[in-house]
Amino acid sequence: MVPRSTVILGTGSYTPERILTNEELSRMVDTSDEWIVTRSGIRERRIAAPEEETSDMAVHAAKRALEDSGLKAADIDLLVVATFTPDMRIPAVACVIQQKLGIPTAAACFDLNAACSGFIYALDVAASMVATGRYRKALVVAVEKLSSVVDWKDRSTCVLFGDAAGAAVVGTSSEAGRGLLGTRLGAVGNTELLFIPGGGSTSPASPESVANGDHFIKMKGKEVFKVAVRIMGDAAREILEQHGLTADQIALVIPHQANLRIIEALSQQLRLPADRVFVNVQHYGNTSGASVPLALDEARKAGRIRSGDLTLLVAFGAGLTYGSALIRW
Ligand code: UT7
């Protein structure tokens, strides 16, 4: 539980202009629109331009979140960025974003990696730091240029992913009962179902690692699917129980957008009608950590979240990490 009342003051998101459709993909690998839509619900995804860096996408989303909050980059004293596709290994992409946005040098800036659960992890970390009173205004960004780590010859993964950024500004409120009511984070310590083997200390970049395709995402999709359905349901139910709530009290669930079938399974587990669970996976595919803040921002801008509403964020990802968060608007 976060001891002081922390609130989301604004949200923003960004997706690159370039749309890659299933039809185009079916000319690149042995797949079809019918297979992709039936198995995943995805119809298209956004792909960043080669020169468009992870930090560029993050800056667009962050500027929109700052504008929405009425704050300026100069007001931010904490920047937490969730990503596993930073511009480079070091420095943290948070420092690149700090420089591009003009966030003051007194601000704490760092990255964290919790894969697709990254936004909920970063939100919890930032809100906890703000709740101590040592930081006043935090910017939380989740951004992924997955097109840079996707094997465009592997049909089992390349059809699933897309590029995007989402951001939120976090501060405090004197109004009790509003804001981030609580979070539930966890991980099940699995390194075999979803990973990128190359580029770390286990397999540093070498001609062999490149030839092996070690720098691309590897995934055992079917196994991940099964764990995802269980873990998303558990993460949602556990946080509701912790707060003495039932699913029907949630105005809108904002789940990680990996696969429409996983989202539908979650709706069934929570016994919620489809209109209480936000879905945009058809447009963007799986954008990893960016998917929850992108969906949250779209839901807010579409008027799907009103003052006083309870929303539930829930995600899972490589690790296998999971997280859920309850927010009263
Ligand atoms: O953010 C977290 C990350 N990941 C996920 O959430 C992914 C979770 N998993 C999934 O979403 C699903 O497992 C997938 C969409 C990846 C795959 O769906 P599936 O129903 O589990 O299919 P499958 O892996 O069992 O593959 C079925 C068949 C296989 O052929 P055979 O062995 O039955 O002959 C695959 O080779 O479909 C084949 N296949 C494809 N066919 C056409 C795999 N990828 C493709 C493709 N197009 N793109």
Side-chain angles (χ1 to χ4, degrees):
M1 284 284 284
V2 177
R4 272 172 54 160
S5 183
T6 47
V7 290
I8 291 184
L9 301 169
T11 58
S13 59
Y14 170 81
T15 54
E17 262 175 50
R18 161 106 167 89
I19 297 173
L20 177 61
T21 63
N22 289 350
E23 199 270 321
E24 261 184 283
L25 268 169
S26 67
R27 284 184 261 127
M28 293 160 60
V29 286
D30 182 14
T31 191
S32 65
D33 177 57
E34 199 263 333
W35 191 96
I36 302 170
V37 172
T38 313
R39 304 283 174 142
S40 72
I42 300 165
R43 295 182 181 275
E44 58 191 32
R45 68 286 295 141
R46 301 299 180 98
I47 303 296
E51 68 282 2
E52 190 169 27
E53 294 176 285
T54 295
S55 57
D56 295 326
M57 294 195 287
V59 163
H60 286 302
K63 280 185 176 164
R64 289 170 184 169
L66 283 167
E67 198 185 328
D68 189 39
S69 70
L71 295 174
K72 296 191 163 45
D75 300 317
I76 298 299
D77 56 2
L78 172 64
L79 170 59
V80 186
V81 182
T83 190
F84 64 88
T85 52
D87 290 5
M88 46 191 133
R89 288 292 298 275
I90 50 168
V93 76
C95 300
V96 185
I97 297 165
Q98 174 190 28
Q99 187 190 49
K100 289 186 177 178
L101 268 178
I103 289 174
T105 53
C109 301
F110 63 94
D111 294 357
L112 67 77
N113 176 355
C116 304
S117 314
F119 178 74
I120 298 175
Y121 265 70
L123 183 65
D124 189 35
V125 167
S128 303
M129 290 173 76
V130 167
T132 65
R134 289 183 58 197
Y135 299 88
R136 295 168 59 81
K137 298 285 187 296
L139 179 60
V140 178
V141 182
V143 56
E144 232 52 275
K145 187 173 174 178
L146 295 179
S147 58
S148 67
V149 290
V150 158
D151 182 351
W152 292 102
K153 292 194 177 78
D154 174 11
R155 69 175 184 173
S156 72
T157 53
C158 76
V159 302
L160 302 173
F161 299 105
D163 300 332
V169 177
V170 174
T172 49
S173 163
S174 50
E175 248 183 276
R178 265 192 69 223
L180 187 61
L181 304 186
T183 53
R184 167 88 182 89
L185 303 183
V188 294
N190 179 295
T191 55
E192 286 151 22
L193 295 184
L194 181 48
F195 61 108
I196 298 177
S201 60
T202 305
S203 171
S206 67
E208 293 74 31
S209 72
V210 172
N212 284 341
D214 285 351
H215 300 275
F216 295 132
I217 291 180
K218 315 284 177 203
M219 182 173 71
K220 293 182 180 146
K222 229 178 181 47
E223 284 92 329
V224 173
F225 188 96
K226 285 184 208 149
V227 184
V229 168
R230 182 172 50 76
I231 238 177
M232 293 269 277
D234 288 351
R237 274 191 302 268
E238 281 168 18
I239 197 166
L240 289 171
E241 275 169 27
Q242 272 173 13
H243 291 266
L245 294 164
T246 50
D248 59 333
Q249 291 173 277
I250 303 296
L252 192 64
V253 177
I254 300 186
H256 171 44
Q257 309 283 315
N259 184 317
L260 184 59
R261 290 187 293 142
I262 297 175
I263 299 171
E264 285 170 350
L266 177 71
S267 319
Q268 280 165 16
Q269 289 185 59
L270 298 179
R271 296 202 177 85
L272 282 178
D275 65 348
R276 302 263 293 278
V277 181
F278 193 82
V279 177
N280 64 5
V281 70
Q282 65 277 24
H283 300 304
Y284 307 114
N286 181 348
T287 60
S288 186
S291 89
V292 168
L294 171 60
L296 173 64
D297 187 48
E298 285 203 341
R300 286 189 68 231
K301 307 276 149 80
R304 302 268 308 264
I305 300 174
R306 287 179 296 267
S307 181
D309 275 358
L310 258 181
T311 57
L312 169 64
L313 315 184
V314 56
F316 75 98
L320 296 165
T321 60
Y322 59 90
S324 49
L326 268 176
I327 302 169
R328 170 87 67 189
W329 297 87

